[in-house]
Amino acid sequence: MRMRILLIEDDAETAAYVTRGFSEQGHVCDALDDGRQGLTQALAGGYDVIVVDRMLPRLDGLSLVRALRSAQVATPVIYLTAIGEVDERVAGLEAGGDDYLVKPFAFSELAARVQALARRAPGIVEEAVLRVADLELDRLRHRVTRAGQPIDLQAREFRLLEYLMRNAGRIVTRTMLLEQVWELRFDPKTSVVETHISRLRGKIDKPFATPLLHTERNLGYTLRAPD
């Protein structure tokens, strides 16, 4: 799902990092560095998710979110802030925010949380069946087929394929896979990713004429339909 995201962040380095990350995932990310400007833009609507810092010039993040909710704007909001004490997190949620992520952060975690918020937004229904060309993954039945033929995957392979299919057409890095599939925030310095990619490729591609899973040299992997 291609999202339109509003980022309100006054730290230029963080804003550039987050904007670049969302753009690389195919989303539209508008960035503003001022609380009042951010509120005006948010009130105009049209965004799937709003990412907001707590400490902003002219209007702080809490006041911004309170103003949004007072105006009956229900767009999901996630705070991205260095203020991480429990009381402050509670205050952020009580002000009307939907999630809270403390800096420093991994972009993949922010992206996953934003995706989750977008799926919860009214009118957006999470797909039960993911499809890339003739490859299908049924999340509810835990079943994978290609060209109608069943493919038997182990639990980790299923999770790996689901993540690749959710990001079909995009480059997925080794770090992203370690974080999202193995829930590791460090590199274990093993070939665990490469081994599972090889096994998955052997099951979803090798028996078929057209490969879908590609290695992007020095970048990562892409699952995509043939041109």
Side-chain angles (χ1 to χ4, degrees):
M1 183 186 73
R2 186 171 185 262
M3 294 184 292
R4 190 170 179 223
I5 301 160
L6 176 60
L7 171 66
I8 310 171
E9 167 64 71
D10 65 336
D11 181 79
E13 187 175 344
T14 300
Y17 173 65
V18 172
T19 302
R20 183 172 61 250
F22 283 129
S23 297
E24 288 175 352
Q25 291 189 337
H27 306 306
V28 175
C29 183
D30 298 330
L32 294 171
D33 61 2
D34 177 277
R36 288 188 184 176
Q37 291 180 355
L39 175 60
T40 300
Q41 190 77 3
L43 288 171
Y47 291 99
D48 297 298
V49 177
I50 298 170
V51 182
V52 60
D53 192 5
R54 285 279 305 268
M55 301 173 68
L56 292 165
R58 299 212 297 164
L59 183 67
D60 67 88
L62 285 186
S63 299
L64 187 155
V65 174
R66 286 195 188 100
L68 278 180
R69 299 311 184 221
S70 296
Q72 305 301 312
V73 174
T75 307
V77 172
I78 178 171
Y79 297 99
L80 182 62
T81 175
I83 302 174
E85 292 77 12
V86 173
D87 289 347
E88 296 294 343
R89 296 187 192 201
V90 172
L93 298 175
E94 289 181 343
D98 300 278
D99 199 357
Y100 204 105
L101 184 59
V102 177
K103 302 172 182 175
F105 62 99
F107 175 76
S108 58
E109 182 177 3
L110 173 63
R113 290 180 181 233
V114 167
Q115 289 273 8
L117 289 175
R119 287 196 296 269
R120 283 161 41 188
I124 297 177
V125 179
E126 187 174 2
E127 292 178 290
V129 179
L130 303 175
R131 295 184 178 84
V132 176
D134 57 356
L135 178 65
E136 289 191 2
L137 182 147
D138 188 326
R139 295 175 51 254
L140 300 181
R141 296 179 176 80
H142 211 270
R143 185 171 63 193
V144 175
T145 61
R146 182 164 181 191
Q149 299 181 32
I151 297 174
D152 185 26
L153 296 183
Q154 296 179 2
R156 189 75 71 180
E157 295 167 346
F158 187 92
R159 190 169 174 181
L160 173 60
L161 179 61
E162 181 180 355
Y163 185 72
L164 289 166
M165 293 184 77
R166 287 190 183 282
N167 292 277
R170 304 171 190 148
I171 294 175
V172 175
T173 67
R174 187 172 187 278
T175 300
M176 292 166 71
L177 292 175
L178 285 171
E179 290 183 354
Q180 297 301 317
V181 180
W182 280 267
E183 299 179 353
L184 295 176
R185 298 292 182 266
F186 62 94
D187 189 338
K189 306 296 183 185
T190 69
S191 60
V192 61
V193 172
E194 291 77 8
T195 299
H196 279 76
I197 287 285
S198 177
R199 288 179 186 167
L200 185 60
R201 181 176 278 136
K203 293 181 179 181
I204 67 169
D205 273 351
K206 193 173 181 179
F208 303 92
T210 305
L212 302 177
L213 179 54
H214 303 271
T215 299
E216 307 292 345
R217 190 174 181 182
N218 297 325
L219 295 174
Y221 306 93
T222 304
L223 188 76
R224 62 174 183 267
D227 296 332

